[in-house]
Amino acid sequence: NPWTVMNLVPGMMMDREDVGGAESGQQSSMYGHGASDDDTTWNVDGANITDPSAIGAAPGYLNVNAYEELQITLGNNDITAQTGGVQLNFVSKRAGIRYGGDFLLYVEDVAWEMTQDLPDYYVARGWNSPGINRLYQYGINFGGPVIKDKLWFFGSYAIQDIHGRTLVGDEDATWLISGYFKVNFQLGNTSGDFHLSHDAKKKWGRTVLSRAQQDTGTLFDQDGPGWVYTGSLQHVMGNLMLTAKFAYSDGGFVLDPRGSDIDEDGFNTGADWQRRYGPTEFFGSLYHYDTNRNTLNMSVNGNYFAEDVAGGDHEIRFGVDYYWGNTTTQSLYPN
């Protein structure tokens, strides 16, 4: 997953260790060269798709196997970057002159896991060793030409089926479903592309505190987020290159507590939410949460290459950037 890759970047600090994929179903916080994690910007093919409500967070769980490369910048950011923090850019794959693709399959299973004696305080509390019961990751990428040397397509689809094992021994199940479809064209000095992607997360038994501090009714079942649309158009006129880009994200997700239901009138019915202190524990049910998070980012940029002027060659860059984000949330508390 992206955060495991980022853990390999020199100077990057992560808030957790992803041992054997145990953290694959939940994103990590990261810090690069002292920058706030709120300044992290996520991009696909240079278009900003950052979550507008959890600033610095990813809008979805992008599957790194579906992309050509992951570009990570910790400093000396480009002038077009909207923030001074970590910049992440997922470069999607492009089709060539022939039809081609690849299939991927990774398998991890508890049968291959090392076993060891648990500490005494684990045994006294009836706890188990957290880990992975199974982790399957599989997908396919395929593309090729539509019109020779002018129009191409490429598509990708993948699933991560993650079944973790919690401290109390029950299962933490997550499905990450990701895919995209893109077309790109080249007509003389004009080129462009359109990209549609969907990165959904389904998680059963999400916690707020920890599995050892919550009963079954206070666990969330999660569904979301949504779709991202990006596109670009580029034209070259002599030493001038003009580029226009847009990105629209239709995001959001739902957290549904197991201890209650939403009735036909829109009320959260069922068990009351009970909270006990010392240590803090949740019982009964929890609030129902849903959010809709949409963004629009548009930009027009120009690069002019002035050759042999004042004894040297120069690049002059200019442009305009527009960003809009809108978020609505609703929390329905039991009864």
Side-chain angles (χ1 to χ4, degrees):
N1 67 73
W3 298 274
T4 304
V5 176
M6 281 180 259
N7 202 31
L8 305 175
V9 177
M12 185 78 78
M13 294 188 295
M14 311 295 292
D15 70 342
R16 71 195 72 187
E17 292 293 336
D18 183 14
V19 180
E23 297 288 345
S24 295
Q26 192 67 31
Q27 57 179 295
S28 309
S29 295
M30 58 199 176
Y31 309 87
H33 293 321
S36 169
D37 58 342
D38 291 344
D39 281 340
T40 300
T41 300
W42 295 74
N43 302 272
V44 169
D45 292 335
N48 185 0
I49 60 168
T50 308
D51 190 328
S53 289
I55 302 298
Y61 291 76
L62 286 77
N63 176 18
V64 295
N65 299 287
Y67 291 87
E68 186 69 30
E69 60 181 291
L70 173 54
Q71 300 170 341
I72 304 174
T73 306
L74 273 70
N76 296 324
N77 293 342
D78 188 85
I79 191 174
T80 59
Q82 295 178 353
T83 66
V86 178
Q87 305 292 311
L88 299 128
N89 184 37
F90 290 77
V91 180
S92 59
K93 294 185 177 183
R94 300 183 65 166
I97 60 174
R98 297 182 177 89
Y99 295 104
D102 57 87
F103 172 77
L104 63 100
L105 174 64
Y106 302 116
V107 177
E108 186 176 343
D109 195 271
V110 66
W112 308 325
E113 187 177 74
M114 180 185 69
T115 58
Q116 61 182 18
D117 294 334
L118 296 174
D120 291 340
Y121 69 90
Y122 268 52
V123 176
R125 290 169 171 81
W127 290 351
N128 295 271
S129 175
I132 288 288
N133 287 337
R134 76 169 191 262
L135 197 161
Y136 301 154
Q137 187 176 31
Y138 48 91
I140 188 171
N141 306 310
F142 184 78
V146 179
I147 301 175
K148 184 179 179 180
D149 298 331
K150 288 183 172 60
L151 181 65
W152 303 264
F153 79 94
F154 197 90
S156 174
Y157 183 78
I159 290 177
Q160 294 185 58
D161 181 7
I162 307 162
H163 288 255
R165 185 175 61 257
T166 71
L167 192 66
V168 297
D170 63 357
E171 194 165 66
D172 181 7
T174 306
W175 257 43
L176 304 179
I177 307 168
S178 60
Y180 69 82
F181 179 80
K182 67 176 294 184
V183 293
N184 57 285
F185 70 89
Q186 176 79 44
L187 299 174
N189 291 336
T190 303
S191 61
D193 66 77
F194 175 77
H195 181 123
L196 168 64
S197 63
H198 181 61
D199 293 281
K201 175 179 179 178
K202 295 181 181 294
K203 187 174 182 66
W204 298 271
R206 175 171 174 171
T207 60
V208 176
L209 302 173
S210 76
R211 193 60 189 88
Q213 297 169 275
Q214 295 183 233
D215 74 358
T216 301
T218 65
L219 301 179
F220 285 129
D221 290 335
Q222 178 177 346
D223 191 10
W227 299 86
V228 175
Y229 308 82
T230 64
S232 68
L233 189 65
Q234 189 175 86
H235 183 69
V236 177
M237 297 180 293
N239 288 353
L240 175 64
M241 181 175 67
L242 298 174
T243 304
K245 290 185 178 182
F246 84 92
Y248 177 77
S249 63
D250 182 9
F253 58 92
V254 175
L255 300 176
D256 185 30
R258 293 180 172 180
S260 58
D261 295 301
I262 306 301
D263 66 15
E264 59 184 11
D265 296 320
F267 290 97
N268 186 350
T269 64
D272 288 332
W273 176 14
Q274 303 174 46
R275 184 170 188 163
R276 179 187 297 164
Y277 295 93
T280 301
E281 295 179 298
F282 290 165
F283 300 91
S285 183
L286 209 56
Y287 55 88
H288 176 96
Y289 177 87
D290 66 79
T291 177
N292 190 35
R293 303 175 178 181
N294 301 329
T295 67
L296 175 65
N297 190 188
M298 298 185 295
S299 65
V300 178
N301 295 287
N303 290 52
Y304 182 75
F305 303 93
E307 299 177 325
D308 196 21
V309 176
D313 297 335
H314 309 273
E315 178 185 4
I316 302 171
R317 305 182 66 180
F318 56 93
V320 61
D321 200 8
Y322 173 81
Y323 181 86
W324 168 90
N326 183 62
T327 297
T328 58
T329 63
Q330 180 175 246
S331 298
L332 300 174
Y333 287 82
N335 299 304

